[in-house]
Amino acid sequence: MDPGNDTVTSQFLLMGFSEDPELQPLIFGLFLSMYLITVFGNLLIILAVSSDSCLHTPMYFFLANLSFVDICFTSTTIPKMLVNIRTQSKVITYAGCITQIYFLILFGVLDIFLLSVMAYDRFVAICHPLHYTIIMNPQLCGLLVLVSWIMCVLNSLLQSLMMLRLSFCTQVEIPHFFCELNEMLQLACSDTFLNNVVMYLAAVLLGGGPFAGILYSYSKIVSSIRGIASAKGKFKTFSTCASHLSVMCLFYCTMLGVYLSSAATQSSHSSATASVMYTVVTPMLNPFIYSLRNRDIKSALKRIVGVQVM
């Protein structure tokens, strides 16, 4: 591309899902509903964990952190999209786009770290039950969360600063409903080789590393469960990690599906539609998965809401 066309653009256009005016009220209502359900559901989980002394355990401490991160993750993209639909504007400023990328990477990777920490918690609980309270002490739990936050903040800061070195053409249209890092790199007019190296290296280390830890934890969990003689004992032990396993599979499968589908179709519109699964649907379903499969959470929610939780 002609270097003369390069400039530091002051704004971008988020094209969203459809330019059809008749579909905008439907999209607005659908995403507003999903956003409110996500925020309300995850806030209930946080309130239940914080208010019920029976839930002051490592597993629920990590769950409350996951719920908080899910609220932040969804709030990074959906409110801006709703405002754009309401005001009939597709504009997002350059600073707003960089900020959105920063928080998207921060909370997205933090989700992965917390899921791996929760897998380690289940590994200790099932494979080393007699030493569980000693190993998973409050200091270690706090340290695991703190280290996760520090690593994710540094990674997202690095990725965002790397974006600042790029230049973009005027009137840049982003075929997405948020500023997605990979899409932004494809739209840049300047050389993105270093950005791509950093992005893929971070994906391998900060995405693949925790995933390998999760696989190792569950391999040990499966081995321990197989050693239990009674079928009832196996079911009871497995049920303690069923919710986490469901959430983990939902998050990883939807994220993997997004990038596989976008790579196969080479369609940005398909990628935007698929991204809804891990940016909106997964955080929305997490509270339902944990509340429907967990008696302790259901009991705490019953006391808070004052009605029977199904």
Side-chain angles (χ1 to χ4, degrees):
M1 185 171 292
D2 185 1
N5 292 333
D6 291 359
T7 184
V8 180
T9 185
S10 61
Q11 63 184 30
F12 301 99
L13 299 178
L14 293 173
M15 304 311 294
F17 298 100
S18 173
E19 297 185 26
D20 187 352
E22 296 181 356
L23 290 178
Q24 300 309 306
L26 176 62
I27 295 174
F28 180 86
L30 178 63
F31 278 86
L32 177 61
S33 301
M34 289 194 294
Y35 179 67
L36 292 177
I37 292 172
T38 301
V39 173
F40 183 68
N42 282 288
L43 279 177
L44 277 179
I45 294 293
I46 296 172
L47 184 60
V49 172
S50 60
S51 62
D52 194 328
S53 59
C54 295
L55 301 181
H56 293 173
T57 62
M59 180 176 71
Y60 296 114
F61 169 71
F62 296 134
L63 175 59
N65 277 273
L66 181 67
S67 294
F68 172 74
V69 171
D70 280 342
I71 293 174
C72 296
F73 188 42
T74 308
S75 299
T76 303
T77 57
I78 302 305
K80 176 58 180 174
M81 186 189 74
L82 295 176
V83 169
N84 282 4
I85 294 176
R86 190 66 178 174
T87 59
Q88 297 182 356
S89 170
K90 300 179 183 296
V91 174
I92 183 171
T93 63
Y94 178 80
C97 198
I98 297 298
T99 302
Q100 196 174 68
I101 289 175
Y102 173 84
F103 285 109
L104 270 172
I105 296 173
L106 170 62
F107 296 120
V109 178
L110 196 51
D111 248 342
I112 296 174
F113 271 68
L114 287 175
L115 287 174
S116 65
V117 169
M118 294 171 76
Y120 175 71
D121 172 73
R122 293 299 84 207
F123 159 72
V124 177
I126 293 174
C127 300
H128 305 283
L130 298 179
H131 301 93
Y132 177 72
T133 55
I134 299 175
I135 297 175
M136 299 304 296
N137 57 73
Q139 291 77 19
L140 178 62
C141 294
L143 182 62
L144 288 172
V145 173
L146 178 61
V147 170
S148 298
W149 271 95
I150 292 174
M151 293 185 67
C152 292
V153 165
L154 292 177
N155 172 60
S156 55
L157 183 61
L158 173 63
Q159 300 283 0
S160 301
L161 291 176
M162 291 290 293
M163 286 296 298
L164 294 176
R165 60 181 288 273
L166 301 179
S167 58
F168 296 88
C169 303
T170 57
Q171 294 297 322
V172 175
E173 295 184 352
I174 304 173
H176 225 297
F177 65 97
F178 61 87
C179 295
E180 201 265 339
L181 179 61
N182 192 45
E183 289 284 349
M184 295 299 295
L185 292 181
Q186 294 178 24
L187 294 172
C189 293
S190 52
D191 181 41
T192 61
F193 175 77
L194 186 58
N195 294 72
N196 281 306
V197 170
V198 172
M199 180 180 68
Y200 288 117
L201 185 61
V204 171
L205 295 178
L206 302 182
F211 184 65
I214 291 173
L215 291 180
Y216 175 80
S217 296
Y218 272 100
S219 68
K220 293 297 183 179
I221 289 172
V222 170
S223 298
S224 295
I225 292 176
R226 288 178 62 185
I228 300 175
S230 65
K232 184 178 180 180
K234 290 181 179 180
F235 176 79
K236 184 178 180 180
T237 304
F238 179 76
S239 64
T240 61
C241 56
S243 296
H244 172 262
L245 189 60
S246 301
V247 169
M248 185 201 69
C249 290
L250 182 63
F251 182 82
Y252 271 99
C253 289
T254 52
M255 184 172 285
L256 185 62
V258 166
Y259 290 102
L260 287 179
S261 63
S262 61
T265 61
Q266 294 296 321
S267 171
S268 298
H269 180 74
S270 299
S271 176
T273 305
S275 296
V276 175
M277 290 301 297
Y278 75 88
T279 57
V280 184
V281 176
T282 300
M284 181 182 70
L285 292 180
N286 286 355
F288 292 99
I289 293 174
Y290 275 100
S291 61
L292 292 176
R293 301 183 64 91
N294 192 298
R295 292 182 180 179
D296 294 331
I297 291 289
K298 285 196 288 186
S299 298
L301 291 176
K302 181 182 177 182
R303 285 190 290 271
I304 294 173
V305 182
V307 296
Q308 181 67 44
V309 180
M310 296 300 292

